[in-house]
Amino acid sequence: MCKTAGCCQGCLHYAFDYETPKTLVIPNIRVGCVFRFTQLLVVLYVVGYVCVVQKAYQETDSLISTVTTKVKGFAFTNTSDIGPHLWDVAEYVIPPQGDNSFFVLTNMVVTPEQTESRCPELPNPLTTCVDDCDCIEGHSDPRGNGIQTGLCENYSTTVKTCEVLSWCPLEIDTKLPEPALLSAAENFTVLIKNSITYPKFNFQRRNILPHINSSYLKRCEFNRATDPDCPIFRLKHIVSEAGEEFQDMAVKGGILGILIDWSCDLDWWAKKCYPTYSFRRLDNKHPVNNVAPGYNFRFAKFYKKPDGEETRMLIKAYGIRFNVIVFGTCGVLAGRKIWNCTNHRKLGCSFVFSQFGACGC
């Protein structure tokens, strides 16, 4: 009975007893300074770093992008292989349309008038021979130039190599033209058209800004100091801003990145969301371990002689591939919507004002 009464009394005390915290005041200036300084650090961290720097209060989205390019320029060459030749965009941009990239031919090794026939392989430890027994009919070396016929033929007066079925005469690419044949490519220009969308906010932009018109495009050229909005770039300036010399890079080729940064803060007037351009070399250029440098590939142009025989001109093309890399993140105060100016052009007003700025109608 006593135990039951004590339990009930304890429950009543727990339910109805009033508690209040006891405040302790320490009259010490040093302790007070430490306390207030700690509070200040917490406030600065939350307001300064989390809110201002990291913008943690914002919703963010990643962009969707599309890029098209158009190169213009002319170059003239005069070589023993192909003679005098005028190069235009139809020849030196390969392929005509790339996937967010374009290639500009700057140098080449040309092997003209090749036909499908038999000829001695280029000499190396695997192809030199003394007699036919050293050659295997039907053997194909991926690093060679054709399929062996089983015969040992004179390559020169002092060297014999295995004969191959191939496109003859064989390509000899040991001596590369220097300076580059299309050194004039440094003065070519490229128009880059880039459109981006932030789908979460239904926000669109393009790098051809509203104040740019056709007459402006005909005379402008990108310059970081005087004309940073122009979407037309001279190739020499792109390479130079990447820290390279165009004429040096043109000999063996390489890969350059054109970086377009669309990082936007849509808490401000959305019209101030502009692209920022930067440039850098993407392929490895090591001063010591410089094995297989540059960028090259082969293609051929085919012809038919009057007698119906097919011939080709083999071109080992060296050049610079430009990769257009678009990236960015936009942020906006969580819960707010973007007022897209393009949706309100039919309104009968001079300006539409929203919480993010003013839209011209």
Side-chain angles (χ1 to χ4, degrees), residues 317-329:
Y318 295 81
I320 304 174
R321 193 180 79 188
F322 297 86
N323 291 351
V324 183
I325 303 170
V326 185
F327 62 97
T329 303

Side-chain angles (χ1 to χ4, degrees), residues 324-345:
V324 183
I325 303 170
V326 185
F327 62 97
T329 303
C330 83
V332 64
L333 184 61
R336 292 194 175 185
K337 295 181 179 180
I338 302 300
W339 193 306
N340 196 335
C341 299
T342 58
N343 295 332
H344 305 281
R345 290 178 178 174

Side-chain angles (χ1 to χ4, degrees), residues 154-332:
N154 290 323
Y155 179 81
S156 65
T157 55
T158 58
V159 178
K160 298 180 73 175
T161 61
C162 294
E163 184 185 65
V164 292
L165 176 63
S166 183
W167 287 89
C168 304
L170 301 178
E171 177 192 70
I172 301 175
D173 60 352
T174 54
K175 188 175 181 181
L176 195 59
E178 195 169 350
L181 291 178
L182 272 73
S183 58
E186 66 179 11
N187 291 316
F188 297 169
T189 60
V190 58
L191 166 64
I192 299 177
K193 294 188 288 184
N194 174 218
S195 298
I196 62 102
T197 300
Y198 286 107
K200 182 188 290 188
F201 307 128
N202 191 27
F203 182 80
Q204 298 89 28
R205 276 291 186 270
R206 63 195 301 240
N207 68 326
I208 300 180
L209 303 177
H211 69 273
I212 295 178
N213 52 34
S214 298
S215 60
Y216 174 80
L217 280 180
K218 290 179 181 179
R219 58 180 173 80
C220 80
E221 182 179 311
F222 177 83
N223 184 290
R224 195 173 298 281
T226 60
D227 209 347
D229 296 335
C230 182
I232 298 177
F233 304 82
R234 191 171 296 272
L235 300 191
K236 180 180 179 180
H237 295 162
I238 294 176
V239 177
S240 177
E241 285 221 16
E244 303 287 338
E245 286 293 332
F246 187 94
Q247 295 301 331
D248 294 339
M249 196 172 182
V251 175
K252 294 184 178 180
I255 304 175
L256 276 178
I258 301 174
L259 284 68
I260 307 179
D261 183 2
W262 281 96
S263 296
C264 303
D265 183 358
L266 300 186
D267 282 343
W268 301 100
W269 190 9
K271 199 174 181 180
K272 293 183 179 180
C273 182
Y274 300 138
T276 302
Y277 301 97
S278 59
F279 314 92
R280 64 179 302 167
R281 185 164 184 170
L282 301 179
D283 60 321
N284 186 21
K285 182 188 174 185
H286 198 281
V288 178
N289 185 19
N290 199 24
V291 179
Y295 182 75
N296 65 80
F297 58 90
R298 290 175 175 84
F299 68 96
K301 296 182 178 182
F302 292 85
Y303 310 92
K304 273 196 174 182
K305 293 183 178 180
D307 60 1
E309 183 184 21
E310 186 179 47
T311 65
R312 76 177 189 182
M313 178 170 64
L314 178 65
I315 299 175
K316 185 176 182 180
Y318 295 81
I320 304 174
R321 193 180 79 188
F322 297 86
N323 291 351
V324 183
I325 303 170
V326 185
F327 62 97
T329 303
C330 83
V332 64

Side-chain angles (χ1 to χ4, degrees), residues 3-17:
K3 291 183 177 180
T4 304
C7 183
C8 292
Q9 189 176 5
C11 291
L12 290 173
H13 280 296
Y14 179 80
F16 297 104
D17 282 359

